[in-house]
Amino acid sequence: MNAVPESYPIGTPGTPWGERERAEWLSRQSHQRSYEADVLSVIKGLRSRFDVEEYGRLNYGSESYPLMAIRSRDWREDLPVVLITGGVHGYETSGVHGALQFVDQHGEDYAGRINLLVAPCVSPWAYERIHRWNADAIDPNRSFHQNSAAGESAALMQLVEPIRDRVVLHMDLHETTDSDESEFRPALAARDGEPFEPGEIPDGFYLVDDSENPQPEFQQALIKAVEQVTHIAPADDKGEIFGSPVVARGVIQYPLAPLGLCASITRAPYKTTTEVYPDSASVTPEQCNAAQVAAVCAGIDYALVSGKPE
């Protein structure tokens, strides 16, 4: 596990960042991988079997990023919609590649039963820089609300708005990594002028349910499917995962809408945020992607069999 820094190298402890600090932070970010090569090229290969659309475009300085969505080719107005989102945090690799792998391997399996809408890489600028924030040092996954300052979040909400009442299931694919503790949480504390309080990275896969509309049986169906692929995170000594009480094996809860989380953007009765742990010595990138795929398939299967909850 990466060491936790004693203090973040940007800004003054106790003082929120201003424009100068944000500019310094931005100057430290660099390309580490290619959205074009890793994501757009894969989506291009899916065009023969699925409908593909550009639902927005992000412009950061001289760089422009098309935001892409994949839809079922046999879209029907009488069918429920399943929404899959990945890469809301660009550094969470298996969220992006797991979403694309699901479409490629299983997307056609549900033809005629659901309408599938997939936004596999919500934050392409952050994907290329392996970062949590966008270029404005804003976390898109705390920005899903009206008048959002994050272009990534605003564009996705606009895409989903026409069908938000018809979505039966929303799977938002994420990861929790060692760098959450070594970089991203310290950066957040520094940005907001708050003290950094170290936490404990959970060792394994877990899910985040909606505390305002919990669906425990649905969440456990996903856990049972994923544990065939990778290990499930245990509770820590306090009975928590990342500071939240474990309400069932591998499941915690957040108030999704008040926090502005991506999983809150529809009225879906079934929704969850997956959290893969890619830094375990006992898993491979292929297993991480497969865990996301297993969760999505289990979620769709559960929703199709169970229908809307009472």
Side-chain angles (χ1 to χ4, degrees):
M1 185 173 293
N2 296 330
V4 176
E6 293 184 6
S7 62
Y8 200 73
I10 298 173
T12 303
T15 303
W17 288 1
E19 291 186 12
R20 182 177 63 81
E21 290 81 9
R22 288 174 185 265
E24 181 182 351
W25 171 84
L26 181 60
S27 72
R28 293 171 177 244
Q29 309 311 312
S30 61
H31 284 85
Q32 300 187 58
R33 56 189 177 185
S34 169
Y35 175 61
E36 172 74 36
D38 296 352
V39 180
L40 296 183
S41 65
V42 177
I43 294 174
K44 183 178 180 180
L46 296 170
R47 286 180 178 270
S48 63
R49 294 183 286 147
F50 299 90
D51 291 339
V52 175
E53 65 182 287
E54 180 178 320
Y55 67 89
R57 185 168 284 266
L58 298 172
N59 296 303
Y60 288 122
S62 62
E63 296 179 293
S64 184
Y65 295 91
L67 297 170
M68 306 304 294
I70 304 162
R71 291 182 187 261
S72 304
R73 179 140 293 170
D74 59 337
W75 191 279
R76 285 170 30 192
E77 292 303 313
D78 61 321
L79 293 178
V81 178
V82 169
L83 174 64
I84 302 167
T85 48
V88 175
H89 290 142
Y91 73 103
E92 297 172 0
T93 305
S94 72
V96 176
H97 296 290
L100 292 169
Q101 185 170 313
F102 165 78
V103 174
D104 180 42
Q105 295 180 347
H106 300 286
E108 293 169 304
D109 296 346
Y110 299 97
R113 292 190 287 166
I114 62 169
N115 295 320
L116 187 64
L117 177 60
V118 182
C121 190
V122 174
S123 297
W125 183 92
Y127 175 85
E128 291 197 330
R129 289 154 180 84
I130 313 183
H131 212 285
R132 186 178 181 91
W133 295 341
N134 67 13
D136 298 318
I138 295 172
D139 185 343
N141 204 37
R142 296 298 186 274
S143 304
F144 288 93
H145 47 67
Q146 286 188 338
N147 303 315
S148 177
E152 297 85 351
S153 308
L156 184 64
M157 287 189 291
Q158 185 174 11
L159 171 70
V160 170
E161 178 61 31
I163 48 89
R164 67 190 300 262
D165 293 342
R166 294 172 52 200
V167 176
V168 67
L169 167 67
H170 180 187
M171 304 281 300
D172 190 29
L173 311 184
H174 283 252
E175 292 183 343
T176 298
T177 72
D178 289 349
S179 57
D180 284 14
E181 196 69 4
S182 63
E183 167 62 25
F184 299 126
R185 293 185 65 244
L188 173 63
R191 186 198 68 182
D192 296 346
E194 298 177 352
F196 171 61
E197 298 182 3
E200 182 178 335
I201 299 295
D203 183 1
F205 178 93
Y206 66 101
L207 296 169
V208 182
D209 196 2
D210 186 0
S211 61
E212 299 184 336
N213 181 32
Q215 297 295 331
E217 292 183 2
F218 164 70
Q219 305 293 338
Q220 284 305 302
L222 273 60
I223 291 293
K224 290 178 181 178
V226 171
E227 70 180 344
Q228 305 303 314
V229 180
T230 189
H231 59 289
I232 305 304
D236 63 18
D237 293 341
K238 298 179 182 179
E240 299 176 340
I241 290 177
F242 240 152
S244 295
V246 173
V247 298
R249 182 167 177 256
V251 181
I252 62 174
Q253 297 176 348
Y254 287 167
L256 302 182
L259 291 176
L261 301 181
C262 182
S264 72
I265 63 174
T266 75
R267 301 187 192 277
Y270 302 112
K271 58 186 70 172
T272 196
T273 302
T274 66
E275 294 286 355
V276 167
Y277 179 51
D279 293 321
S280 170
S282 62
V283 303
T284 65
E286 291 76 19
Q287 282 177 292
C288 292
N289 295 343
Q292 303 282 20
V293 173
V296 172
C297 290
I300 297 175
D301 293 343
Y302 185 94
L304 285 172
V305 170
S306 301
K308 290 189 176 182
E310 295 292 333

